[in-house]
Amino acid sequence: MSKGKETKAKILQQAAELFNQQGYAGSSISDIMRVTGLQKGGIYNHFQSKDELALQAFDYAIACVSQHYIAALRNQRHAIARLHAIIAVFSNFADNPPIQGGCPLLNTAVESDDAHPALRERTQKAMNSWLHLIRRIIETGIEKGEIRSDVNADEITTIITATLEGAIMMSKLYGDSIYMQRAVNHLNQYIDHNF
């Protein structure tokens, strides 16, 4: 990797963590300079604007999260096992997030709601990808006879996502992973008894 690409990757990683902890609006260019150890020109040598950096840093954060899911799903073939694997990966995020500050999808969705349309659009795209992954696992499970045919894939996808994201928010808010543990236990039991 060239020195320039190495520097850009370092900026993305450090900016992703900064934005995930302080938010896009709460992070100034001075904050970015502080965490990267670079001057303004060094940052803008790789990114045209703070907006461009924010979008690419978000993509970097989502890629970090996705790597965990890809690894967990690699050896799981049965739909139920795949859903349990996703829940297990997410359960670790309360105490050991892949990006400091918690779930970048949740954090960015809340912050970009009305304030940053391009970041909101990027967040919706990432959420759509996440929803598609879960829905596809369920639909494939139904097709293979691993999940009951009367299970509503869209409904269960919403329940899993909302439960996990809510649990990460509560665990982060109260500094207590019991909320995530309760949500994980409930989802695993629900899947085992209703699918």
Side-chain angles (χ1 to χ4, degrees), residues 93-188:
F93 291 173
D95 293 324
N96 300 305
I99 297 290
Q100 290 302 311
C103 177
L105 190 53
L106 175 65
N107 293 344
T108 308
V110 170
E111 182 183 18
S112 68
D113 186 24
D114 295 317
H116 197 294
L119 197 52
R120 181 175 191 231
E121 183 178 315
R122 192 70 59 100
T123 307
Q124 285 177 336
K125 182 178 174 187
M127 179 59 82
N128 288 341
S129 178
W130 164 253
L131 295 171
H132 176 76
L133 170 67
I134 296 172
R135 186 174 41 253
R136 191 68 201 128
I137 289 170
I138 296 168
E139 290 170 347
T140 301
I142 292 169
E143 290 166 11
K144 291 181 173 181
E146 298 168 351
I147 293 176
R148 288 188 352 247
S149 61
D150 63 336
V151 168
N152 183 315
D154 286 326
E155 182 178 300
I156 299 304
T157 297
T158 299
I159 290 168
I160 290 172
T161 302
T163 302
L164 291 173
E165 290 291 357
I168 198 91
M169 182 274 297
M170 290 181 73
S171 293
K172 186 94 173 118
L173 179 65
Y174 291 108
D176 189 345
S177 61
I178 190 66
Y179 300 100
M180 179 57 76
Q181 292 168 18
R182 290 172 181 159
V184 165
N185 290 341
H186 172 74
L187 287 173
N188 284 329

Side-chain angles (χ1 to χ4, degrees), residues 1-161:
M1 182 182 291
S2 71
K3 178 101 168 112
K5 286 184 180 181
E6 208 172 285
T7 301
K8 183 175 182 175
K10 178 184 164 195
I11 295 168
L12 282 174
Q13 182 260 323
Q14 292 168 327
E17 290 184 0
L18 176 70
F19 292 147
N20 204 40
Q21 292 175 55
Q22 291 184 198
Y24 171 77
S27 301
S28 67
I29 192 66
S30 298
D31 292 326
I32 298 167
M33 291 165 50
R34 178 182 44 79
V35 299
T36 61
L38 298 172
Q39 296 299 312
K40 193 185 293 188
I43 295 165
Y44 287 131
N45 186 41
H46 297 280
F47 304 94
Q48 293 180 0
S49 65
K50 182 182 166 192
D51 283 348
E52 182 186 345
L53 174 56
L55 293 172
Q56 289 189 37
F58 175 75
D59 290 344
Y60 170 87
I62 294 301
C64 289
V65 171
S66 296
Q67 289 173 1
H68 291 268
Y69 292 110
I70 291 167
L73 294 173
R74 188 171 290 127
N75 297 319
Q76 303 296 333
R77 297 292 170 242
H78 193 280
I80 301 294
R82 291 173 69 82
L83 291 172
H84 284 307
I86 285 176
I87 292 166
V89 167
F90 207 97
S91 72
N92 291 325
F93 291 173
D95 293 324
N96 300 305
I99 297 290
Q100 290 302 311
C103 177
L105 190 53
L106 175 65
N107 293 344
T108 308
V110 170
E111 182 183 18
S112 68
D113 186 24
D114 295 317
H116 197 294
L119 197 52
R120 181 175 191 231
E121 183 178 315
R122 192 70 59 100
T123 307
Q124 285 177 336
K125 182 178 174 187
M127 179 59 82
N128 288 341
S129 178
W130 164 253
L131 295 171
H132 176 76
L133 170 67
I134 296 172
R135 186 174 41 253
R136 191 68 201 128
I137 289 170
I138 296 168
E139 290 170 347
T140 301
I142 292 169
E143 290 166 11
K144 291 181 173 181
E146 298 168 351
I147 293 176
R148 288 188 352 247
S149 61
D150 63 336
V151 168
N152 183 315
D154 286 326
E155 182 178 300
I156 299 304
T157 297
T158 299
I159 290 168
I160 290 172
T161 302

